[in-house]
Amino acid sequence: MTKRPVTVDLASWLLWLLVAAGLLMSVLVVAFRGDLNEVWSPMEAGDGTVQPTEFVPVVLVLYGVIAITMLTMVQLFRNRHLWAQHGLAAVAIGIALGAMAMMRTDSPLMVLVGAGAAGVAAAVAVVFLWHPETTRFVRGRDS
């Protein structure tokens, strides 16, 4: 059995970091629920019958599903499953796009900084996931 390339290990560490950062961001969403409610809830309209959206349960469930999926796919990726490599890249691209979208809101500074850091980590993870050395390893063509 050959040793994993550095790019595989770096991609794995960045993906684990994204899972941990997602947990931190979920805690921040709960902590800043009031401030975020003003930014993320729809504006009051006409007769005021529109109820504000309760987004905390949605954020927590979404985090749980994505975290479990990513942790499972990281193990499969490290065991040379090509579809897991591409699946992780798709999730990381989604995180990067979500982070860029978050940067356009008037969210609290801590949330914006966390989103920016997650976006950068996700973009770098995609670079390591699609690095030629990583793909050679996953496809079983070690040099």
Side-chain angles (χ1 to χ4, degrees):
M1 183 170 194
T2 60
K3 185 176 178 333
R4 278 188 205 102
V6 173
T7 56
V8 172
D9 290 334
L10 288 172
S12 299
W13 279 105
L14 284 168
L15 292 165
W16 289 325
L17 176 71
L18 283 172
V19 171
L23 178 61
L24 176 64
M25 291 302 291
S26 297
V27 169
L28 288 175
V29 164
V30 172
F32 290 104
R33 170 185 314 194
D35 296 336
L36 292 173
N37 197 28
E38 295 171 10
V39 176
W40 291 352
S41 289
M43 305 299 269
E44 289 193 31
D47 60 2
T49 58
V50 177
Q51 296 294 323
T53 306
E54 183 59 39
F55 55 84
V56 171
V58 175
V59 168
L60 296 177
V61 169
L62 182 63
Y63 168 73
V65 170
I66 290 175
I68 290 170
T69 301
M70 283 183 69
L71 292 173
T72 302
M73 283 199 298
V74 166
Q75 288 306 112
L76 293 169
F77 162 64
R78 291 171 66 86
N79 289 321
R80 296 182 170 193
H81 290 270
L82 184 64
W83 64 268
Q85 176 188 18
H86 296 308
L88 286 167
V91 170
I93 289 169
I95 290 171
L97 290 173
M100 285 190 286
M102 176 68 72
M103 301 298 282
R104 295 181 47 96
T105 66
D106 293 329
S107 300
L109 181 62
M110 234 191 281
V111 174
L112 293 175
V113 169
V120 170
V124 174
V126 169
V127 169
F128 285 125
L129 281 166
W130 281 339
H131 191 276
E133 191 174 323
T134 302
T135 303
R136 258 193 314 276
F137 170 78
V138 171
R139 290 189 177 171
R141 295 186 221 142
D142 300 321
S143 352

